[in-house]
Amino acid sequence: MKKVIVIFSTVFFLLFSSQVNAEQGDYKKFGRIATAVIKEDYPGQPVKDYQYQGRKKMSENKVSDAFEFTVQENDAEKKVIVIVVHDLDNEKVLNISVKE
């Protein structure tokens, strides 16, 4: 019985860790895209903070990743959310929106 539990736990851990690594790679790629959008929309303004807000499934193949930035603009800090909508099958960006 202990062998079965150990084997099951090991298989579960390996499956879960590979899924987390795949999502982390996605998040980093789309985080770089979101950062480029912020630098273009706020040229010359320093980015104080950056945080990944998570992923939402919109349809079977379509998801959105949200990123929150704190941008310094005219002696005031501004929170800006960048949402990157993309296709999971081909990783193409479908839409990018910026909200203050």
Side-chain angles (χ1 to χ4, degrees):
M1 181 68 173
K2 288 182 183 180
K3 257 186 175 180
V4 172
I5 292 173
V6 170
I7 291 171
F8 179 74
S9 298
T10 304
V11 168
F12 180 76
F13 176 75
L14 291 173
L15 289 174
F16 180 73
S17 65
S18 66
Q19 183 179 3
V20 169
N21 288 338
E23 284 186 14
Q24 188 177 36
D26 284 352
Y27 133 71
K28 287 181 180 181
K29 174 184 176 180
F30 295 106
R32 285 191 296 272
I33 292 170
T35 303
V37 168
I38 286 294
K39 288 181 179 182
E40 188 174 312
D41 286 357
Y42 299 91
Q45 305 299 326
V47 176
K48 298 278 190 171
D49 194 19
Y50 160 86
Q51 188 175 29
Y52 178 59
Q53 296 293 310
R55 174 173 284 182
K56 292 182 184 174
K57 189 170 186 173
M58 302 175 77
S59 69
E60 190 168 323
N61 299 8
K62 194 163 102 172
V63 295
S64 67
D65 287 316
F67 303 88
E68 181 181 83
F69 293 86
T70 303
V71 180
Q72 184 77 32
E73 186 176 49
N74 300 330
D75 298 327
E77 288 187 354
K78 184 183 286 191
K79 297 280 186 189
V80 181
I81 305 287
V82 178
I83 299 172
V84 181
V85 178
H86 57 95
D87 190 321
L88 288 175
D89 290 339
N90 57 20
E91 294 188 9
K92 289 188 178 181
V93 174
L94 303 172
N95 187 21
I96 299 174
S97 60
V98 179
K99 300 176 185 177
E100 291 186 5

